[in-house]
Amino acid sequence: MADEFGHLPRRPERILKATLWSLQGLRAAWLHESSFRLEVYLLAVLAPLALWLGGNGVERALLLGSCLLVLAIELLNSAIEAVIERYGPEHHELAGRAKDMGSAAVFVGLLNAGATWALILMPRWL
């Protein structure tokens, strides 16, 4: 999004504000989303394993990145759910569809992480 100077690079104070807003979002997810907390706990276990088990930089990046991608998708899913809840708890077909699709996106991210770990680590044990 353009600021008062158009699409020029942001000033340091704008970058700081954007960072603070991002940290507020992470805090809100931690406080209000049990799935996010669970995935952070899993990341705390899997991140050191990814760095230890990865045979080179690319493997480490793929193992760790697949886990971070799950967190990013969970944040987007939580944002979708929050917007839908803002308009009320009554059932609406489109709201239900949007929530289901957000949940499916998290599921696909988890499948991606599992497949990444399996494809990198399984050949070593077979």
Side-chain angles (χ1 to χ4, degrees), residues 43-86:
L43 178 66
V45 172
L46 293 177
L49 281 175
L51 298 176
W52 180 51
L53 295 173
N56 56 46
V58 172
E59 288 184 355
R60 289 183 192 106
L62 288 170
L63 293 171
L64 184 59
S66 66
C67 296
L68 290 172
L69 183 62
V70 171
L71 284 181
I73 297 168
E74 183 65 51
L75 288 167
L76 293 171
N77 181 45
S78 297
I80 290 168
E81 290 178 351
V83 168
I84 290 170
E85 290 302 317
R86 159 68 175 88

Side-chain angles (χ1 to χ4, degrees), residues 1 8-9 17 33 35 39 49 55-56 61 63-64 68 73 79 84 93 98-99 106 108 110 112-113 116 119-120:
M1 176 178 223
L8 296 175
K17 282 184 179 181
E33 298 295 332
S35 295
E39 290 158 358
L49 281 175
N56 56 46
L63 293 171
L64 184 59
L68 290 172
I73 297 168
I84 290 170
E93 181 184 347
K99 285 181 157 186
V106 175
V108 170
L110 288 167
N112 175 66
T116 300
L119 290 169
I120 290 173

